[in-house]
Amino acid sequence: MSRIGIVAESAGETRVAATPTTVRTLIDLGYEVAVERGAGASSSFPDDAFADAGASVVDRSDAWASEIVLKVNPPTPDEVALLADGATIIAMLSPALRADVRESLQTRGITALALDAVPRISRAQSMDVLSSMSNISGYRAVVEAAHEFGRFFTGQVTAAGKVPPATVLIAGAGVAGLAAIGAASSLGAIVRATDPRPEVADQVTSIGGTYLPVVVDEVMESTDGYAKATSEAYDAAAAALYSAQAREVDIIITTALIPGRPAPRLITAADVASMKPGSVIVDMAAAAGGNVEGSVVGERIVTPNGVTILGYSDLASRLPAQASQLFGTNLVNLLKLLTPGKDGRLVLDFDDVVQRSITVVRDGESTWPPPPVQVAASPQPAASAVEPVVPKKKRTLSPAAKSGLIVLGIAALFGLSAIAPAPLPQHITVLVLSVVVGFYVIGKVHHALHTPLMSVTNAISGIIVVGAMLQLTIPSLPVQILAAIAVLLASINIFGGFAVTRRMLAMFSKGDR
């Protein structure tokens, strides 16, 4: 049984890697859990709540000395020194951008797993902390923009006059962008969005936004679920679109990020200068270089023309309780994968694409970068050569068996006619011939045409009704009972046939215009 240490984050980070709810699940997986004293205070999770969940509350050195350490942000060199030999640390390590972190972990047999390297495949969605945090960040970006904006988001008509709705442009329709579109739409704003991936257009429309395509000859497709670098032709067309939109909209929220590369520049200083006074820009990519010229990481900037630029990089941390719960749930789902025996022992399997993709360092040796994982975001063309599917043959009677049954039926008919008193043989002969003729006539008609045949069956049923009514006058109780039953059943068939035929005809008739 291994012990998991939940450590406190550095100053400025309000999230924590586990909550009392997720601690219970970790204990159910067979682990012991030790929580650093005060680790959850900024997220409104007191030490007593962790203790009630079954965790032990320890000091800093004891938590870091655990076999497995769970953390939100990358560890500093001083924190790496606190890890035990052969320990495993699981956190957001930014391995593509933070080579210094990777190098500091290549020591003393340490294993490091990067939560922000989870591949975007279907079965890994429950472990994807980037999606969870981006969802929160997109929502919070709209809240921050609304706080800075000097008017309503929704339009109103009041006795004092008409208030137009705010117009919001979302640059990038990934997880964060879609969350921002949904939040802004729910507040009543007119929302526009653009993205180089055409497959997101339906998603934007479905949550209340208007998709603005950038018209170029190329088609941008994502093969791994993340945004890709665009071409010069696309960048030129997109720049024209952003310039035109900047003069019209009230709020711009940019979310464009490319894993392992600086954020692309979308909004220029000239675009900012063309915006109306009081407009707001939220640059969610400020920490990666920024999508907006003039944005500063963690700062609120007001331009000379009165445009507010927010470069906050801690949007998810501004909802610490919710962010910690989602982050902790992602970690629990990952540890369920890494603990197949539910015995408190972490097992790393490099044959699993998820586990291989997130492993940055294994036993002190670098394993980064992992093999690429291809995830097609658009449907792939079907294979040219498809093996034909041979339908199973239904079991049918052989010709000899059919002939035998026919001969047997004819023999039975002759036998019954020979011993039956007159006029029963004549009636039996008419009945048998009617069944045979009816079977071949009705059985050869296509199923779609069966309902029009109701008119024929109604005529036959009408003859039965007339004949049965004539039999009602015969002074014989059994005959009268059978005749009454015949009248009832034939009448049901007649009225039911008319009702069904009427419905079928109504389906094909045109209504009054």
Side-chain angles (χ1 to χ4, degrees):
M1 179 184 296
S2 301
R3 186 175 75 156
I4 293 177
I6 311 299
V7 298
E9 302 297 320
S10 56
E13 178 58 72
T14 60
R15 292 171 293 179
V16 64
T19 67
T21 301
T22 63
V23 162
R24 294 187 184 94
T25 307
L26 295 175
I27 294 174
D28 292 338
L29 289 175
Y31 292 103
E32 294 180 3
V33 180
V35 180
E36 180 180 345
R37 190 169 286 106
S42 298
S43 301
S44 301
F45 298 119
D47 293 340
D48 292 344
F50 285 108
D52 293 340
S56 56
V57 180
V58 299
D59 58 23
R60 179 175 175 81
S61 59
D62 285 345
W64 277 94
S66 303
E67 291 92 341
I68 303 170
V69 174
L70 304 185
K71 198 175 185 300
V72 177
N73 294 322
T76 64
D78 292 339
E79 290 173 335
V80 173
L82 295 174
L83 288 169
D85 295 346
T88 298
I89 182 170
I90 306 176
M92 291 194 295
L93 302 177
S94 301
L97 299 175
R98 298 290 303 273
D100 57 326
V101 175
R102 299 201 315 264
E103 293 173 359
S104 67
L105 292 168
Q106 296 175 33
T107 179
R108 297 183 288 119
I110 292 173
T111 296
L113 307 181
L115 291 169
D116 44 352
V118 172
R120 287 193 167 168
I121 58 178
S122 296
R123 69 183 185 87
Q125 290 179 354
S126 62
M127 316 167 200
D128 190 354
V129 297
L130 286 183
S131 294
S132 298
M133 298 302 102
S134 295
N135 184 30
I136 295 175
S137 297
Y139 172 85
R140 184 69 190 195
V142 174
V143 173
E144 295 292 340
H147 175 69
E148 295 288 345
F149 192 52
R151 294 192 286 111
F152 291 134
F153 263 45
T154 185
Q156 291 189 4
V157 178
T158 68
K162 181 180 179 181
V163 179
T167 305
V168 181
L169 174 67
I170 310 295
V175 176
L178 292 174
I181 294 169
S185 298
S186 66
L187 290 175
I190 298 173
V191 184
R192 305 167 183 172
T194 183
D195 192 281
R197 297 163 292 183
E199 61 266 19
V200 305
D202 291 340
Q203 301 176 40
V204 171
T205 304
S206 67
I207 55 177
T210 300
Y211 180 71
L212 303 178
V214 177
V215 182
V216 290
D217 293 335
E218 63 179 329
V219 177
M220 299 296 298
E221 292 184 355
S222 174
T223 58
D224 59 359
Y226 294 94
K228 295 292 184 183
T230 53
S231 67
E232 293 182 2
Y234 180 91
D235 292 341
L241 174 66
Y242 288 129
S243 297
Q245 291 296 316
R247 293 189 292 269
E248 297 180 15
V249 301
D250 302 303
I251 296 169
I252 297 177
I253 299 175
T254 64
T255 70
L257 282 172
I258 302 173
R261 299 183 58 176
R265 185 56 52 84
L266 304 180
I267 308 298
T268 65
D271 295 334
V272 176
S274 69
M275 296 183 72
K276 294 171 288 188
S279 299
V280 180
I281 300 175
V282 182
D283 187 355
M284 296 182 62
N291 298 140
V292 181
E293 187 174 357
S295 66
V296 180
V297 181
E299 299 291 334
R300 174 184 180 273
I301 304 296
V302 180
T303 65
N305 63 319
V307 177
T308 302
I309 304 176
L310 305 179
Y312 301 150
S313 58
D314 61 344
L315 292 172
S317 298
R318 296 184 178 220
L319 294 172
Q322 184 70 74
S324 297
Q325 182 60 51
L326 293 181
F327 190 95
T329 302
N330 292 142
L331 268 172
V332 164
N333 292 328
L334 176 61
L335 285 168
K336 286 180 179 179
L337 176 66
L338 300 177
T339 318
K342 296 184 179 180
D343 53 359
R345 298 186 183 278
L346 190 146
V347 179
L348 197 57
D349 180 12
F350 265 26
D351 291 332
D352 181 12
V353 65
V354 176
Q355 300 181 47
R356 177 64 187 91
S357 297
I358 66 174
T359 305
V360 178
V361 178
R362 185 178 188 182
D363 298 331
E365 297 183 2
S366 176
T367 58
W368 188 265
V373 178
Q374 296 295 321
V375 182
S378 59
Q380 297 297 319
S384 57
V386 180
E387 185 176 344
V389 178
V390 180
K392 295 182 178 180
K393 294 184 178 180
K394 296 182 179 180
R395 297 183 60 184
T396 57
L397 293 174
S398 64
K402 289 182 178 179
S403 301
L405 289 176
I406 293 174
V407 172
L408 182 61
I410 294 174
L413 176 61
F414 277 110
L416 184 60
S417 299
I419 62 174
L424 189 57
Q426 292 88 337
H427 293 320
I428 294 176
T429 303
V430 172
L431 174 63
V432 172
L433 291 176
S434 301
V435 171
V436 172
V437 173
F439 173 79
Y440 280 101
V441 170
I442 304 300
K444 298 299 181 180
V445 177
H446 193 274
H447 297 293
L449 300 177
H450 268 260
T451 299
L453 289 175
M454 284 292 181
S455 58
V456 179
T457 59
N458 284 347
I460 297 174
S461 298
I463 296 173
I464 295 174
V465 168
V466 173
M469 291 176 67
L470 293 175
Q471 299 297 319
L472 289 173
T473 60
I474 295 177
S476 174
L477 183 60
V479 173
Q480 292 176 349
I481 293 175
L482 291 175
I485 295 174
V487 171
L488 175 63
L489 296 179
S491 300
I492 293 174
N493 192 31
I494 290 172
F495 290 110
F498 275 118
V500 173
T501 301
R502 185 179 181 84
R503 285 193 176 186
M504 290 296 295
L505 293 176
M507 293 174 61
F508 298 99
S509 63
K510 295 182 179 180
D512 296 333
R513 295 185 180 181

